[in-house]
Amino acid sequence: MHDDQRLFDVIIIGGGPAGLSAALILGRSLRNIIVFDTGKPRNMKSEAMHGFISRDGTNPIEFLRLCKEELKKYSVELVEALIVKAHRFDTTGFEVQDSNGNSYYSRKILIATGLCDRLPEVPGIEKFYGISIFHCPYCDGWEVRLKPLAVYAKNCGPGQAVALKNWSDDVTILTDGREPTEEEHQLYSLKNIKVSTGRIAGLEGSGGKLEYILLENGEKIIASALFFNSAQFQKSDLGNQLGCSFTDKGVIDTDNFQQSNIPDVYVAGDAAKDMQLVIIAAAEGAKAGLIINKSLQKKEKFLSAVDQAIKLK
């Protein structure tokens, strides 16, 4: 670390609900922190977020704007930049670098970069994603309740289709050419879920509102929304760079205090958990902020005691 470089108490990588919630707690604790974000949240395609008490139905971009506005009075430094490298530079802290080669230093790191969804390979899906094509029924199921719903299940089982029966009696599972197992067929019959094994040719609708799913054989499946449960991946590889352990679900493994296996590296939000709701990410960020501040206090108390002992000699 160069003498002219600032040492932050905490570098927060990711300015979504988790990162900004942690910034609020740490800012109110008079900590010197900096938050890096690219301005492209996972839910930026969504018209509204749901399940967050007092903010249900708020546009995700507007929600983040409100969060950042709140942070101004706490002197939280917000930087729009992509952090591409991170490592421990000595026993006192970490160095991170952005995509322009600028370096920043801190005593602790909070990773709140989230996940990315790998969309199904369906022609035209981007036009509908976030408006009538979703991955989470708890986030978007109420808005399409009691309407005909479809589930893309080329690479997954019946779980999501069964769950969607909570919101609609009219559910069709689309296997896009995959033949369901006998056990799956039995379950679909038991739950009164329609099955379509034809390959998908495209989607039809206007203004992002899905109306039909067109199959290669010419058949049209009526659907007001399509849900999927495909693969997800880490939005950033910083966890790997820092040596963090991952679960078999591909998220960073943390303890009950948002602490990774690497000392002073914390993780909050979707990057660390498979229960993916905005309100849970925000709660984890707040918890991480509190735990980080307590850890800093503990270290400062120890260093103060060491200084006093030295003075008494």
Side-chain angles (χ1 to χ4, degrees), residues 145-157:
R145 67 197 183 281
L146 308 180
K147 296 180 180 180
L149 306 178
V151 177
Y152 184 83
K154 182 175 183 178
N155 301 309
C156 62

Side-chain angles (χ1 to χ4, degrees), residues 69-215:
E69 190 68 27
E70 284 186 352
L71 291 175
K72 286 182 178 179
K73 63 182 175 182
Y74 300 115
S75 300
V76 173
E77 192 167 342
L78 300 168
V79 178
E80 187 166 317
L82 175 65
I83 298 299
V84 295
K85 293 182 180 180
H87 70 279
R88 188 183 293 276
F89 70 87
D90 63 22
T91 57
T92 63
F94 301 88
E95 177 186 8
V96 304
Q97 284 188 349
D98 64 22
S99 56
N100 294 318
N102 300 310
S103 292
Y104 305 84
Y105 301 87
S106 67
R107 299 161 69 186
K108 295 181 182 292
I109 283 182
L110 173 63
I111 298 174
T113 46
L115 300 172
C116 290
D117 297 298
R118 183 170 284 115
L119 296 182
E121 294 181 2
V122 175
I125 193 171
E126 284 284 354
K127 295 187 297 184
F128 300 91
Y129 180 50
I131 302 174
S132 57
I133 293 183
F134 314 108
H135 65 86
C136 174
Y138 290 95
C139 299
D140 300 291
W142 192 89
E143 282 64 36
V144 292
R145 67 197 183 281
L146 308 180
K147 296 180 180 180
L149 306 178
V151 177
Y152 184 83
K154 182 175 183 178
N155 301 309
C156 62
Q160 194 171 52
V162 173
L164 277 170
K165 293 290 288 187
N166 192 96
W167 286 269
S168 174
D169 286 331
D170 189 350
V171 176
T172 300
I173 191 158
L174 309 170
T175 66
D176 197 17
R178 179 181 70 86
E179 184 60 40
T181 66
E182 182 60 33
E183 290 78 11
E184 287 175 342
H185 273 301
Q186 291 176 1
L187 182 59
Y188 298 144
S189 177
L190 179 67
K191 296 294 184 179
N192 195 26
I193 295 171
K194 292 175 282 188
V195 182
S196 175
T197 60
R199 293 191 179 278
I200 298 173
L203 307 172
E204 294 184 4
S206 59
K209 301 291 186 180
L210 184 65
E211 297 175 12
Y212 301 99
I213 297 161
L214 179 64
L215 304 183

Side-chain angles (χ1 to χ4, degrees), residues 14-21 35 37-44 49 52 55 58-72 78 112 235 278 281-282:
L20 296 180
S21 187
V35 181
D37 190 61
T38 59
K40 296 178 180 178
R42 179 185 181 188
N43 59 359
M44 66 183 296
M49 64 179 209
F52 198 125
R55 288 292 181 265
T58 302
N59 178 273
I61 302 301
E62 172 63 10
F63 173 72
L64 295 180
R65 187 195 68 79
L66 292 170
C67 292
K68 292 173 183 177
E69 190 68 27
E70 284 186 352
L71 291 175
K72 286 182 178 179
L78 300 168
K235 196 172 185 179
V278 175

